[in-house]
Amino acid sequence: MALKKSWVTSANSPETGFPLNNLPYGVFSTGGAARCGVAIGDMILTVDELGPAGIFEAGNWNAFMALGPKAWAAFRAEVQAALSEGAEVRPLVAQAGATMHMPFAVAEYTDFYAGRQHAENMGEILRGTKGLPANWLHIPIGYNGRASSVVVSGTDIRRPLGQLGAGRFGPCQKLDIELELGAIVGTGSRMGQPVSVAEADEMIFGYVLLNDWSARDIQGWEYQPLGPFQSKAFATSISPWIVTKAALEAFRKPTPLREELLLPYLNEQKPGLYDIELEVQLAGETISHTNATRLYYSAAQQLTHHSIGGCPMRVGDLLGSGTISGPLPAEFGSLMELSWNGAKPFTLANGETRSFIEDGDTLTLTGHAQGDGFRIGFGECSGTILPAINTPDWAT
Ligand code: MN
């Protein structure tokens, strides 16, 4: 597939993440109310006059998502026609002057653990044992996270307070990131009714970059036997533009060869991963570079597993992929892995060393799928760490 040309000049550059081939959906404001828009080059097209009447009134994409795949395809065709080379020029808003907001209201948030190298690394670091947990090759492992603390890129993140061990309380000393993709559920399912992998794929509306901020010291103390809780609940950041499944269709890649035969309910009908180059930057310097094909389970498989016991899925549910790490240290998707839990601090270009995140650090995730002369970009998922609040005198 080649670049589709637009009358918006900046959308025709091979460097932009937002050519006519992409058309990701976001919510922005320029002083007034938040409005839904589509990114095109370095501009935004407002969509109030497109699509079914009133569908964007709430200032997010939830009502539109609930319309389902046929409406998604019709709307995408309408927007693509309106922005194609030769179409009538319309007023646009410059991205540079816009503030981005959450593109959708997160109904519920579930985080998975589908990065194989990450699972192996964490086992070795936390438990000193090489290899995967016994269940890992059979079941997409996940936990129910918090929708209330999912924030859009650019939101500052406060270092959390918590229990760091027996009788120890204070600001997290091992603050970390997790490089993930977020899948957004566009249509729901009924309670008691499992969905197949093919149905799950149909239900997914699009993807964002997701940073599952993690407090490793709090996590290490609290996670046994029920998994992460406060170590993950304080914040999750997502990139502001929803890259639709339609825009990524040409970049599908199969999940890796199954090492253990999966139960048939988890078998994929079509390739469920995407060839998306991913980077982590700390203070503007790239500290990790990997690809979303490093995942072992697709979002469709995770969604199917999520529903298999009868749990209903809702419009606006967010599924984190799990930390994406490749086999080389330069491909690790968390500082825990990059510094091997502080045993191997790494040095930045400015001479500073890091094991975990310092106050004032800005962490940024970027990603794109590389086409022939064009890119399907995700924009940025960025957050700056603020110092912890003072420990309240009643806390210790
Ligand atoms: Mn995670």
Side-chain angles (χ1 to χ4, degrees):
M1 196 184 16
L3 172 79
K4 293 183 161 112
K5 284 211 160 181
S6 170
W7 54 262
V8 183
T9 317
S10 61
N12 297 329
S13 156
E15 307 297 322
T16 182
F18 305 132
L20 191 61
N21 307 57
N22 191 350
L23 302 179
Y25 302 146
V27 172
F28 73 98
S29 65
T30 51
R35 300 163 79 188
C36 291
V38 178
I40 180 75
D42 56 11
M43 308 297 283
I44 303 169
L45 173 72
T46 55
V47 294
D48 299 322
E49 277 109 64
L50 302 169
I55 202 76
F56 300 115
E57 250 166 29
N60 65 44
W61 287 82
N62 293 56
F64 174 80
M65 292 196 290
L67 297 175
K70 277 188 186 154
W72 305 346
F75 179 78
R76 179 171 168 82
E78 192 182 351
V79 173
Q80 208 152 49
L83 292 169
S84 286
E85 193 173 47
E88 192 185 335
V89 171
R90 294 162 179 259
L92 300 170
V93 176
Q95 281 172 34
T99 302
M100 299 306 296
H101 304 274
M102 280 292 291
F104 66 107
V106 181
E108 303 197 40
Y109 166 50
T110 305
D111 194 36
F112 286 89
Y113 197 54
R116 180 172 186 159
Q117 187 67 48
H118 175 72
E120 289 181 352
N121 288 344
M122 293 301 272
E124 201 174 330
I125 294 168
L126 291 174
R127 292 178 288 280
T129 53
K130 287 208 181 211
L132 295 162
N135 55 4
W136 200 89
L137 294 167
H138 300 272
I139 190 170
I141 296 174
Y143 64 94
N144 290 301
R146 291 292 301 175
S148 64
S149 53
V150 180
V151 295
V152 74
S153 174
T155 307
D156 290 340
I157 305 298
R158 180 73 65 181
R159 179 180 298 271
L161 298 175
Q163 278 204 34
L164 312 176
R168 292 176 54 218
F169 185 95
C172 165
Q173 301 297 306
K174 291 187 171 181
L175 188 56
D176 200 355
I177 57 151
E178 291 194 339
L179 167 63
E180 304 192 24
L181 277 185
I184 298 155
V185 177
T187 56
S189 65
R190 280 180 293 130
M191 189 163 173
Q193 184 62 56
V195 299
S196 69
V197 175
E199 289 168 332
D201 192 75
E202 290 282 299
M203 288 164 64
I204 294 169
F205 179 67
Y207 293 85
V208 289
L209 303 172
L210 185 149
N211 183 353
D212 174 23
W213 300 97
S214 298
R216 300 301 183 191
D217 38 10
I218 297 171
Q219 184 179 0
W221 173 235
E222 76 178 359
Y223 86 109
Q224 300 195 65
L226 290 186
F229 186 45
Q230 292 305 303
S231 56
K232 304 283 194 169
F234 61 98
T236 304
S237 298
I238 64 168
S239 51
W241 295 104
I242 304 171
V243 176
T244 62
K245 191 176 55 186
L248 291 167
E249 204 55 36
F251 302 95
R252 281 185 182 266
K253 287 279 187 264
T255 46
L257 206 63
R258 301 291 98 177
E259 198 169 305
E260 297 281 353
L261 211 57
L262 293 176
L263 283 166
Y265 83 89
L266 287 171
N267 285 342
E268 295 212 285
Q269 312 303 309
K270 58 177 172 180
L273 298 181
Y274 297 93
D275 182 0
I276 301 166
E277 295 287 326
L278 299 164
E279 279 193 20
V280 180
Q281 283 139 20
L282 201 173
E285 183 181 337
T286 298
I287 57 169
S288 179
H289 185 171
T290 188
N291 191 291
T293 54
R294 298 299 194 191
L295 292 164
Y296 191 81
Y297 296 102
S298 68
Q301 287 174 310
Q302 292 168 333
L303 202 163
T304 290
H305 182 66
H306 209 324
S307 73
I308 204 67
C311 174
M313 305 309 298
R314 298 166 67 187
V315 175
D317 274 358
L318 175 64
L319 309 182
S321 62
T323 310
I324 306 170
S325 292
L328 301 172
E331 287 185 71
F332 291 171
S334 70
L335 301 196
M336 179 85 163
E337 295 163 271
L338 288 166
S339 74
W340 214 252
N341 198 17
K344 299 175 188 170
F346 57 90
T347 305
L348 299 169
N350 64 11
E352 292 181 22
T353 58
R354 285 291 184 284
S355 291
F356 293 95
I357 305 172
E358 308 278 338
D359 288 345
D361 280 349
T362 298
L363 275 295
T364 303
L365 314 181
T366 59
H368 71 271
Q370 184 63 56
D372 184 10
F374 71 95
R375 284 178 165 194
I376 303 294
F378 281 76
E380 283 187 358
C381 177
S382 197
T384 299
I385 297 300
L386 302 179
I389 62 164
N390 294 327
T391 298
D393 54 13
W394 43 260
T396 53

